[in-house]
Amino acid sequence: MLVLPDRDAAEEVAQELGDAFGLAEEPQLVRDALAGEDDAEDAQWLVVVEDPEGRLDAAALDGLAAEYEGWLEAP
């Protein structure tokens, strides 16, 4: 799961993931509101990537997220 600061970044990362890693399924985007916050400006976005075989390189995923001021969240 990649954590991104906003929806635009999450959408761009999801697109890049599909292009760079040839994913069979499109990553899922999920809005993650911070505790106690109702304002959409205070939400992070998650890009959920299914990788049951462990084929994706964690360092590459983290690097991609970092380009958009995000990070890889270990399961």
Side-chain angles (χ1 to χ4, degrees), residues 2 4 7-21 23 25-29 46-49 64 68:
L2 304 176
L4 286 301
R7 182 182 187 120
D8 290 338
E11 289 175 344
E12 288 182 36
V13 167
Q15 178 66 41
E16 284 194 40
L17 282 170
D19 295 343
F21 295 100
L23 301 177
E25 294 183 27
E26 187 172 323
Q28 180 182 8
L29 301 180
L46 308 177
V47 178
V48 181
V49 181
L64 177 60
Y68 292 89

Side-chain angles (χ1 to χ4, degrees), residues 3 7 9 11 14 17 21 24-25 29-32 36-37 39 41 46 52 54 56 59-60 64 66 71 73:
V3 182
R7 182 182 187 120
E11 289 175 344
L17 282 170
F21 295 100
E25 294 183 27
L29 301 180
V30 178
R31 181 178 178 268
D32 184 33
E37 298 293 333
D39 189 352
E41 297 298 318
L46 308 177
L56 301 177
L64 177 60
W71 65 91
E73 186 75 29

